[in-house]
Amino acid sequence: MPTIFTHAVAALALGPSVQRAVRPLRLWALGAACAVVPDLDVLAFRLGIPYEHPLGHRGFSHSLVFAAILAAVVVAVFFRRSAHRAALGAYFFAATASHGLLDMLTDGGHGVALLAPFSNDRLFFLWRPIEVSPIGIDGFVSARGLEVLASEVLWVWGPALAVAAFLLAVRRRAPETV
């Protein structure tokens, strides 16, 4: 898995697509949270749930169905009166779904149950350039943690910056609808 910082960066890069719809700080905070929430499944280890279980690490919480459910809940709770619920739902879905997709680009772990609950098959992309992050603070604050962060800056942060710049440019030319 990439670090929580990188998951948040990916979600923030998509923010300019809907920023006009809400106050930016609220959008950034909820988007980053949606991108990080799937990794709360590491608590499954403490509950004795094995990695391969549908509720294990990189299981249901990394799926597209989970991304849709979380997006719907966030919009219903925080934006129920917004005229831009569909755009916000799409953004929070993309922010959450980006987590599993980024994990599928890492060089470690057992894959991602992207299609759960319909399939617990663990998937990876054929090309996996991102170094997998160690789980826990100790592994992250180490030489290995710095290697992982360097890999993420190259393969995620740079492209995320390009996506954000593109979306900002498009938004500047678009009419004031979203």
Side-chain angles (χ1 to χ4, degrees):
M1 72 182 169
T3 62
I4 60 169
F5 305 113
T6 294
H7 283 301
V9 163
L12 296 176
L14 300 173
S17 65
V18 292
Q19 185 178 0
R20 289 182 183 159
V22 296
R23 292 184 308 262
L25 183 58
R26 187 180 201 188
L27 179 79
W28 303 137
L30 290 168
C34 283
V36 172
V37 160
D39 269 344
L40 290 179
D41 67 4
V42 297
L43 297 174
F45 293 132
R46 292 187 185 237
L47 298 173
I49 298 172
Y51 197 114
E52 312 77 33
H53 189 276
L55 297 177
H57 185 52
R58 289 186 172 182
F60 178 71
S61 68
H62 286 58
S63 72
L64 297 175
V65 170
F66 178 82
I69 292 169
L70 183 58
V73 168
V74 169
V75 171
V77 170
F78 296 99
F79 303 99
R80 66 181 166 273
R81 291 192 175 117
S82 173
H84 305 288
R85 287 187 307 278
L88 290 164
Y91 166 68
F92 292 120
F93 171 79
T96 308
S98 73
H99 187 110
L101 297 173
L102 285 175
D103 280 4
M104 289 172 60
L105 287 167
T106 63
D107 64 1
H110 299 290
V112 174
L114 191 69
L115 304 176
F118 307 107
S119 170
N120 194 41
D121 289 346
R122 301 303 177 105
L123 309 171
F124 277 115
F125 286 114
L126 295 176
W127 182 59
R128 299 174 18 194
I130 303 171
E131 293 188 36
V132 71
S133 175
I135 295 176
I137 299 292
D138 292 341
F140 183 71
V141 235
S142 66
R144 171 83 179 119
L146 288 176
E147 276 180 39
V148 168
L149 200 52
S151 167
E152 293 175 357
V153 166
L154 174 65
W155 296 110
V156 182
W157 294 40
L161 182 61
V163 166
F166 172 77
L167 291 172
L168 284 168
V170 167
R171 196 179 82 200
R172 285 192 181 111
R173 298 178 138 242
E176 292 281 332
T177 56
V178 175

